[in-house]
Amino acid sequence: MTCSPSKNLIEQNSDVVVTSMVGKISTSIDNSFVYDYKKTKFVPPNGKTLLIQGQTKEGINEYRDYFQYKEYPGAWSAYWAVTQSTGIKEPFVNITRSTQDHQFLVEHFDNMALHSAMWLVGKWDVAKNTYSGMYDGVIKEYCDWVKTVNRPVYLRIGYEFDGPHNLLEPIDYVKAYKHVVNIMRKEGVTNVAYVWHSYASKPYKEYPVKDWYPGDDYVDWVAISVFFQPYEDIFNHRETNDVLNFAKSHKKPVMIAEANPVLGISKKDTNVWDEWFVDFFSFCYEKNIKAIAFINEDWQRLDIDGIEDWKDARLYNNDIIAKAWIKEVSKDRYLKQSTGLFEQLGYLKE
């Protein structure tokens, strides 16, 4: 059975459109952001960027099903809380009505890294309870598990630490962060890179980002969130650039740990590509971003305070957007699942 001439023409026209869309991305690199990294681990080689996808079990399965004949990303994302170990060794449906399951990702996907996020906030005295030792048993349980996964793990301790929504005082965050790392080192964990993840927008109580920094010996990667910045002017976004310049001054690689066009991906038009994706990818090239974690999510189905206006922003809402995404991330620049991935990240598989 062969395709009809009209169908072939439609596919050819689609390919032309997608090629034009991806061609709008600037691949120029600011050489001032190409520097030697110090006191870090699991960094892609020069000219390479680790591709990460997330962030729920449901979203990961949807992404896998839609792009079933394409290469998987180099890592999946998963979340857990310092207060409890659920979602690590067994599935956990949290208050957002979505599922987290680290073990599922390990068991079903070989030759992939893991992007793991530890929820740790200031409210309910979570940070204070962390450094006072209340959750040491949970941290040690995570240590026991993570030592068995035989892959590089990027752990974001208290992700978006400076976000107003987390109510974290810098002094409490730094003490909690160091406490977690100290335990993990004492427990003999060697396959974890510690990620210091800024909200990269207006910070809690206007504290400067340096106030939350635990120190070079405790941070392997610096990370940011990218949600609204590309709609505005990400290249001149003050807080975003403050974090990137801070990372450069400390010789740390930068990861975009959470990213999504939260105003939605329409089924009817591809405007979001020009409004968000073009500057997002161009920024990643220019600033030499070493890892990108895209959240493929319908925010309307999650019960999260403060994001009621966020929309359905799954890539496959629009076939053309999905094809443009795949065309860009299929480039050799992006590290995806492969038998050679761990070697490229500097991790020796046992």
Side-chain angles (χ1 to χ4, degrees), residues 106-124:
V106 171
E107 290 178 357
H108 289 81
F109 302 98
D110 293 329
N111 303 312
M112 293 179 70
L114 183 62
H115 185 226
S116 180
M118 175 196 288
W119 179 84
L120 189 161
V121 297
K123 47 191 170 184
W124 306 301

Side-chain angles (χ1 to χ4, degrees), residues 2-258:
T2 59
C3 295
S4 66
S6 59
K7 184 174 182 180
N8 282 331
L9 183 60
I10 291 172
E11 290 179 350
Q12 290 172 10
N13 289 338
S14 172
D15 290 341
V16 170
V17 170
V18 167
T19 298
S20 175
M21 290 167 66
V22 174
K24 295 177 181 179
I25 297 168
S26 171
T27 59
S28 298
I29 299 172
D30 181 343
N31 286 328
S32 71
F33 285 93
V34 181
Y35 48 85
D36 293 331
Y37 304 117
K38 294 183 179 179
K39 297 182 179 179
T40 185
K41 62 198 311 183
F42 309 149
V43 182
N46 289 338
K48 302 292 185 181
T49 296
L50 178 66
L51 181 65
I52 306 170
Q53 279 280 353
Q55 64 181 359
T56 65
K57 186 176 181 180
E58 292 82 3
I60 288 169
N61 281 333
E62 287 177 5
Y63 183 94
R64 181 180 61 168
D65 291 344
Y66 184 87
F67 296 112
Q68 58 182 306
Y69 301 114
K70 306 299 181 182
E71 295 174 293
Y72 287 153
W76 296 120
S77 298
Y79 290 69
W80 61 291
V82 70
T83 57
Q84 56 188 16
S85 60
T86 48
I88 299 173
K89 292 184 287 187
E90 69 285 322
F92 174 64
V93 180
N94 58 33
I95 60 172
T96 69
R97 301 195 299 271
S98 60
T99 307
Q100 297 297 328
D101 191 347
H102 285 64
Q103 186 63 33
F104 167 81
L105 301 178
V106 171
E107 290 178 357
H108 289 81
F109 302 98
D110 293 329
N111 303 312
M112 293 179 70
L114 183 62
H115 185 226
S116 180
M118 175 196 288
W119 179 84
L120 189 161
V121 297
K123 47 191 170 184
W124 306 301
D125 287 335
V126 171
K128 292 179 180 179
N129 291 338
T130 298
Y131 65 72
S132 69
M134 182 176 295
Y135 312 128
D136 285 4
V138 176
I139 299 168
K140 290 177 181 178
E141 190 172 346
Y142 181 82
C143 291
D144 290 341
W145 175 82
V146 82
K147 287 188 291 185
T148 70
V149 304
N150 200 18
R151 66 188 66 202
V153 177
Y154 300 87
L155 177 62
R156 291 184 283 141
I157 301 171
Y159 52 92
E160 296 184 335
F161 55 80
D162 50 352
H165 50 291
N166 284 329
L167 305 177
L168 264 170
E169 290 292 332
I171 189 171
D172 291 328
Y173 173 73
V174 169
K175 291 168 81 171
Y177 182 110
K178 286 184 173 181
H179 185 78
V180 171
V181 174
N182 286 335
I183 289 178
M184 297 188 75
R185 287 173 172 169
K186 186 176 181 180
E187 293 296 311
V189 174
T190 59
N191 63 321
V192 170
Y194 301 108
V195 182
W196 183 68
H197 175 193
S198 168
Y199 186 51
S201 289
K202 186 176 180 180
Y204 179 58
K205 293 186 178 179
E206 301 288 348
Y207 285 115
V209 70
K210 65 179 179 63
D211 286 6
W212 277 279
Y213 194 57
D216 290 346
D217 290 337
Y218 284 87
V219 174
D220 293 307
W221 285 69
V222 170
I224 61 173
S225 291
V226 173
F227 294 115
F228 287 98
Q229 298 100 309
Y231 293 117
E232 302 159 2
D233 182 2
I234 190 171
F235 297 97
N236 293 299
H237 189 267
R238 186 184 67 182
E239 290 85 5
T240 299
N241 283 304
D242 283 349
V243 179
L244 265 64
N245 288 325
F246 186 87
K248 179 166 62 172
S249 69
H250 289 264
K251 306 297 184 184
K252 301 296 183 181
V254 175
M255 166 191 299
I256 294 181
E258 296 187 6

